[in-house]
Amino acid sequence: MSELKVLVVGASIAGPMAVYWFARAGARVTVIERFPELRTSGQGIDIRTTGVTVMRKIPGMEAAVRAKTTQLEGMSFVRDDGRLYGTIRATGNPDQQSLVSEYEIFRGDLARIIFDLSKDNENVQYIFGEQIASMEEHEHDGPIKVEFANGLATSEYDLVVACDGATSKTRTMGFGGSVRDYVNPINSWAAYFSIDQDIVGRSNLGHGYSAVGGRFLAVSNDPAGGNRVVVIKIHPRDERDAALPFREAMKQGEGALKNFVAQQYKGVGWKAEEVMLAMKNSRDFYANEILQVRVPALHKGRIVLVGDAGYAPGPTGTGTTLAMTGAYVLAGEIAKHQGDLAAGLQGYEERMRPIIDDMQKIPPMINSFCAPQTAWGIWLRNHLFAFLAWTKMIEYAQKFFGGASTGTDKYGLPNYDWLA
């Protein structure tokens, strides 16, 4: 693969992971990222199932991840007066995880670990503050001519790998349509941020709270001090365009978005008021709509999708795992079919499709269970959860929460031959 010239778009998780494996296969890789530097903030994310398998194929990565995990041992769920009604914990077995992962790590820490794997490789060039302006494919299956927006010289690439998120502009350029094509709204959004205050004590357990209207608030300790917060709003699935006000607030900038989130959580109980006040001063606030991406094919010509750009999973908790797995399989299949790019891309499609279909399955009633809309629904869910936790049936019940809790060896990822 030494003659293969690859352009990777996006330097979050999927992009640097693809870079690592393509470099291992001997390709020359250019990576562009629209932000001016590597983003090292973000929420806690999990490495599960095939993600664990891929991680263990990289020397030193599992140890690096363990050194940076959030140290969260489980999640306790509380009523509006703070009284506990149930706790879920990690299984202690990283090969058969529960809803609490043994490999929960902050997104920025994982991004840094993966970036460091390839940043010094002589065949890899990272360029920040750059975007694609246009792409032109040759008529007879030749390289793609790419023009850039911010000064990088026009060049030709044998393969363009889109790793730029659920509303990928690279996908739009290559597949046609708009950034919302192939996107299935889940009628939900989430916000993630740190606060300086410690409102739950130095506990190794996170605290989760549900309020009417599909609102969920989770607070956990930040190893660096203070707390990490996640707030989620889940609308009924049949409520058309329920996320439109959130999208409008996003367009107006961070200040407007913080105000929107605070308004949604006004008067909901427990620690919400304290959290919303602290959020105003948060320096790492991030919010986004929860989306699922479903495309008829993972590639078109020589443009291929990896991670959320091709298969954002929505609320199933498998986005990081899919990104890591897709990057590994794409580079591996192209290396396996060296000299036949079309066969490699088809191999990627065939290997990934069953994994994607499985990990994108949203369990029945998941929204009703995680974020009930009514006080009655919350009362019923709380009592049911308390019973499951008390009887320890929760360990069995978690198996129904989609691909996130399956074992690492379920999918039988192939071993590929690498040059380095």
Side-chain angles (χ1 to χ4, degrees), residues 38-313:
L38 187 72
R39 290 175 294 153
T40 55
S41 61
Q43 73 278 20
I45 54 179
D46 301 336
I47 303 174
R48 298 175 175 274
T49 65
T50 51
V52 176
T53 302
V54 171
M55 175 175 66
R56 289 174 175 168
K57 294 178 183 293
I58 301 173
M61 184 174 174
E62 185 173 13
V65 168
R66 284 192 177 279
K68 285 290 189 177
T69 57
T70 63
Q71 310 300 317
L72 191 69
E73 296 178 359
M75 177 68 72
S76 292
F77 296 87
V78 298
R79 298 178 174 88
D80 57 3
D81 58 4
R83 286 184 299 135
L84 171 72
Y85 63 86
T87 298
I88 55 174
R89 295 179 182 270
T91 64
N93 176 10
D95 295 326
Q96 187 67 57
Q97 298 184 45
S98 71
L99 293 177
V100 177
S101 172
E102 273 73 12
Y103 298 109
E104 182 174 354
I105 182 172
F106 294 126
R107 192 209 66 82
D109 289 335
L110 182 59
R112 171 62 67 181
I113 289 170
I114 300 175
F115 172 74
D116 286 347
L117 291 172
S118 62
K119 67 175 183 176
D120 296 325
N121 189 298
E122 63 181 7
N123 288 327
V124 173
Q125 181 184 23
Y126 278 92
I127 301 171
F128 291 92
E130 188 57 275
Q131 301 181 67
I132 293 177
S134 67
M135 293 189 294
E136 181 182 345
E137 285 196 76
H138 287 262
E139 293 183 6
H140 303 293
D141 193 34
I144 300 175
K145 181 180 178 181
V146 181
E147 293 184 348
F148 298 94
N150 298 321
L152 186 62
T154 299
S155 188
E156 291 188 339
Y157 298 90
D158 300 302
L159 187 67
V160 174
V161 184
C163 303
D164 50 343
T167 54
S168 166
K169 292 183 179 178
T170 313
R171 183 184 67 224
T172 300
M173 290 181 184
F175 284 49
S178 73
V179 294
R180 299 291 300 190
D181 286 353
Y182 312 114
V183 170
N184 294 329
I186 310 296
N187 266 3
S188 309
W189 54 260
Y192 314 88
F193 51 93
S194 302
I195 58 175
D196 295 331
Q197 296 85 340
D198 178 10
I199 66 172
V200 294
R202 300 312 295 170
S203 171
N204 287 329
L205 294 173
H207 291 65
Y209 168 70
S210 290
V212 295
R215 289 171 287 187
F216 179 75
L217 165 65
V219 183
S220 61
N221 277 313
D222 187 334
N227 292 155
R228 296 268 183 148
V229 179
V230 179
V231 295
I232 301 174
K233 168 71 172 176
I234 299 178
H235 297 272
R237 293 295 295 273
D238 58 356
E239 220 176 83
R240 285 178 59 92
D241 298 326
L244 276 177
F246 174 81
R247 291 180 210 156
E248 289 301 316
M250 280 191 71
K251 294 176 183 177
Q252 297 171 35
E254 183 177 299
L257 195 50
K258 282 183 175 180
N259 289 335
F260 175 84
V261 172
Q263 186 64 34
Q264 297 299 305
Y265 275 78
K266 186 177 181 179
V268 302
W270 189 51
K271 303 280 188 178
E273 184 174 352
E274 192 174 345
V275 168
M276 291 299 112
L277 284 172
M279 178 189 70
K280 297 289 186 179
N281 297 318
S282 177
R283 296 173 294 276
D284 62 356
F285 178 87
Y286 171 78
N288 216 339
E289 191 176 354
I290 299 172
L291 301 171
Q292 204 173 66
V293 171
R294 293 179 177 270
V295 292
L298 298 178
H299 68 95
K300 185 175 182 181
R302 294 190 175 208
I303 300 167
V304 61
L305 312 176
V306 174
D308 285 356
Y311 32 85

Side-chain angles (χ1 to χ4, degrees), residues 304-327:
V304 61
L305 312 176
V306 174
D308 285 356
Y311 32 85
T316 65
T318 57
T320 302
T321 290
L322 279 170
M324 293 175 64
T325 306

